[in-house]
Amino acid sequence: MIIMSENDTKLLIIPFMKNIQENLDLCHEYNVGFEYNEFAMPWVLDNESNCNGLINQYKMIPGMPSYTTMHGVFFDVLVFSDDSRIKKVSELRVRQSLDVARKLGCKGIVFHGNINPLLLDTAAGPMYEKHWLETTRNFFTTVCEEYPEIDIYMENMWDKTPDNLANLAKEMTSVKNFGLCFDYAHAHISPTDTKIWSEKLGPYIRHVHINDNDGKSDLHLAVGAGCTDWDKFFELQAKYFLDATTLIETSTPAAQRASLEFLYSINLL
């Protein structure tokens, strides 16, 4: 089960400045932390003045939770690109995200591997896969060293299987502030059973994203509003990733409250 105590917040929700009072009310009522999402948008990072202004707004709000994480950039971020200009911009965006996380005092930050599963099924698939692994490993090993106070989590998104992320995490086991973010909803709509995902990624999972869906599309519904088997989820969590922090990855206060109420109703909190 998700365990929370006054000194060890294991559960998080997403704050938005436009909803911040409602987010804070939930934070205090349920003792949850925050995972910032606004700074994952490239148009936020493009305007340094506005970006810093938003950071300062958050830092000045009284009663903010002490435990926070952040979602880093992911749109079109390809640190493994063969195009030197795309690679350079992707690396810049990752470091911009980490700089924001540092200013906000975030404990961890989430990035996506962004490997394209369609390319894995082509003749060039093995070469593409090898290049992704080597380049992603080398770059994130470097940035983990540059930002030692922040845990960096790599999330499954389009992945059809856990194999590539498991291979990456295995090769980076010596990097103390690197781990995986297991997006259970993404795994739920993949062709691979969530038990296999949990078994293979389990040793490396440090952070988890949960929401609900219809088993086909990544709908980001409130927990309990879709077809996810939550009994199975908590069985897998207890066995493979009990110590990981968990984000309820829904965007509205209403969906966040519905998720928390659902979890409480089945005595999982």
Side-chain angles (χ1 to χ4, degrees):
M1 67 180 69
I2 293 175
I3 301 172
M4 296 185 298
S5 71
E6 183 177 351
N7 298 317
D8 184 21
T9 300
K10 303 286 287 186
L11 195 65
L12 301 96
I13 60 173
I14 299 170
F16 283 97
M17 187 57 70
K18 63 181 181 180
N19 304 322
I20 192 59
Q21 189 55 58
E22 292 173 279
N23 297 140
L24 277 172
D25 290 344
L26 287 169
C27 167
H28 298 148
E29 183 178 349
Y30 289 94
N31 186 32
V32 298
F34 281 166
E35 181 161 301
Y36 300 103
N37 270 212
E38 285 149 302
F39 301 99
M41 303 300 112
W43 50 87
V44 174
L45 297 178
D46 275 341
N47 190 316
E48 185 176 359
S49 176
N50 287 349
C51 183
N52 285 331
L54 184 58
I55 292 169
N56 290 332
Q57 276 186 277
Y58 274 119
K59 291 175 72 173
M60 292 174 64
I61 296 172
M64 290 289 279
S66 59
Y67 193 96
T68 61
T69 57
M70 185 180 127
H71 203 306
V73 290
F74 59 96
F75 288 119
D76 306 315
V77 174
L78 303 170
V79 300
F80 56 94
S81 177
D82 283 324
D83 186 313
S84 61
R85 294 191 178 188
I86 292 174
K87 178 179 174 64
K88 185 176 182 179
V89 170
S90 298
E91 292 178 349
L92 169 67
R93 289 303 199 196
V94 169
R95 287 190 169 93
Q96 283 181 311
S97 291
L98 282 158
D99 287 338
V100 171
R102 176 174 276 170
K103 290 176 182 178
L104 287 167
C106 295
K107 310 298 185 183
I109 187 169
V110 177
F111 293 107
H112 291 181
N114 280 349
I115 192 167
N116 187 334
L118 298 179
L119 292 177
L120 295 176
D121 295 332
T122 68
M127 184 180 300
Y128 171 77
E129 189 172 26
K130 182 175 183 290
H131 179 69
W132 172 86
L133 177 60
E134 292 177 351
T135 309
T136 304
R137 178 198 65 210
N138 292 343
F139 173 69
F140 278 97
T141 296
T142 297
V143 294
C144 281
E145 293 172 354
E146 293 173 359
Y147 299 84
E149 77 279 20
I150 303 173
D151 287 338
I152 295 178
Y153 311 128
M154 190 68 70
E155 177 187 339
N156 57 300
M157 187 175 181
W158 300 314
D159 308 69
K160 293 181 179 180
T161 76
D163 296 343
N164 288 297
L165 281 181
N167 290 336
L168 175 66
K170 184 177 181 180
E171 292 201 6
M172 293 183 67
T173 51
S174 63
V175 182
K176 301 304 182 184
N177 58 326
F178 181 84
L180 298 183
C181 170
F182 181 30
D183 191 304
Y184 195 79
H186 292 168
H188 183 234
I189 63 174
S190 80
T192 303
D193 190 89
T194 51
K195 184 175 187 295
I196 295 173
W197 279 94
S198 301
E199 289 174 342
K200 290 198 173 182
L201 299 187
Y204 316 109
I205 295 171
R206 307 267 291 277
H207 191 53
V208 179
H209 284 177
I210 59 172
N211 51 60
D212 224 322
N213 57 51
D214 59 359
K216 299 176 182 179
S217 301
D218 188 28
L219 301 176
H220 284 230
L221 301 176
V223 177
C227 69
T228 302
D229 182 344
W230 290 104
D231 287 337
K232 180 179 180 180
F233 169 81
F234 282 99
E235 288 175 6
L236 294 172
Q237 184 202 40
K239 187 172 183 180
Y240 297 108
F241 46 92
L242 184 59
D243 292 333
T245 49
T246 302
L247 168 71
I248 296 175
E249 197 179 22
T250 56
S251 298
T252 68
Q256 292 165 357
R257 179 172 290 280
S259 299
L260 289 161
E261 289 178 351
F262 171 79
L263 293 171
Y264 267 95
S265 74
I266 55 176
N267 297 315
L268 291 173
L269 287 177

